[in-house]
Amino acid sequence: MSLSLALSMAAFALAASLSPGPVNLVAFNLGLNRGLGPALRHVSGATCGFSVLLLAIGGGLQWLAQWTALMHAIRLGGVLFLLYLAWRLARSDGALVQETPGRAPSFVAGALMQWLNPKAWIASSAGMAAYTAGDPARVVPFALIFFGICYLSVGSWALLGARLRRRLPSPAWVRRLNRGMGLALLVSALMLATMPLSGSGAA
């Protein structure tokens, strides 16, 4: 594989992973409310979840992304999940807590967010079609490049939240920010509910 192809793959992965979206908003909020350590469970789950989806699409499941009924079901699941997360943020009391096992979104929840995101399916299909060109030897390298860039991209949102955690003066400020994040997730859910089943973006 040429260097120019690898750089093009990396650029695609960065554009899909770094832009604001539900996965990145949750990573930011976890970093803010619980610190970097718990947030990294979500980051790891989201990255692994997308990478497994990418490999599955590259392995021949791309036809699933063309099955409209499945994409509608995935979209409905994603909307409901985002609404649930928005509701939890709206109810937050603004207290910054230490790691509490079982309460923060887990590795599995991070992965689930990707599998319930139709845009992740579409991005996977588009990426594999554009960069593997039917060559199975390119599938794993593409997935590995995407894994590294996705982890760093989503992790940067978690790190931003963790840094801000040290600077907010009171729980009242955290409550405002949590409700702002909840509103952003609500908007994301509404956009997901109304979007056509085409486009790109994984995070």
Side-chain angles (χ1 to χ4, degrees):
M1 185 173 63
S2 67
L3 177 60
S4 61
L5 178 59
L7 290 175
S8 181
M9 288 177 173
F12 177 86
L14 184 64
S17 302
L18 189 59
S19 56
V23 171
N24 288 335
L25 290 176
V26 171
F28 173 84
N29 193 263
L30 281 172
L32 171 68
N33 285 275
R34 298 181 180 274
L36 186 59
L40 288 179
R41 288 203 300 268
H42 167 80
V43 173
S44 299
T47 303
C48 290
F50 184 78
S51 297
V52 170
L53 177 60
L54 192 65
L55 286 170
I57 295 294
L61 295 184
Q62 65 269 20
W63 61 273
L64 287 176
Q66 307 302 318
W67 190 18
T68 304
L70 175 63
M71 290 296 101
H72 281 302
I74 289 171
R75 175 163 61 185
L76 177 60
V79 167
L80 293 175
F81 192 47
L82 290 178
L83 290 176
Y84 167 71
L85 292 176
W87 174 75
R88 284 190 60 180
L89 286 174
R91 293 180 66 245
S92 168
D93 61 6
L96 297 178
V97 298
Q98 301 302 316
E99 182 173 354
T100 307
R103 293 190 61 193
S106 64
F107 179 96
V108 173
L112 185 64
M113 284 194 73
Q114 296 287 29
W115 281 75
L116 290 178
N117 184 1
K119 293 178 75 177
W121 285 75
I122 294 164
S124 298
S125 299
M128 281 296 172
Y131 292 105
T132 65
D135 183 356
R138 294 182 181 178
V139 170
V140 172
F142 184 39
L144 289 174
I145 289 170
F146 218 120
F147 179 92
I149 290 178
C150 184
Y151 195 95
L152 292 174
S153 297
V154 182
S156 68
W157 283 85
L159 180 61
L160 179 62
R163 291 289 179 88
L164 187 60
R165 171 186 176 90
R166 303 173 186 172
R167 292 172 170 79
L168 290 180
S170 69
W173 281 93
V174 178
R175 279 196 302 273
R176 293 188 189 103
L177 194 52
N178 281 340
R179 286 168 185 167
M181 292 295 101
L183 180 61
L185 286 178
L186 177 61
V187 171
S188 294
L190 294 175
M191 291 175 64
L192 182 59
T194 58
M195 77 171 195
L197 294 178
S198 62
S200 63

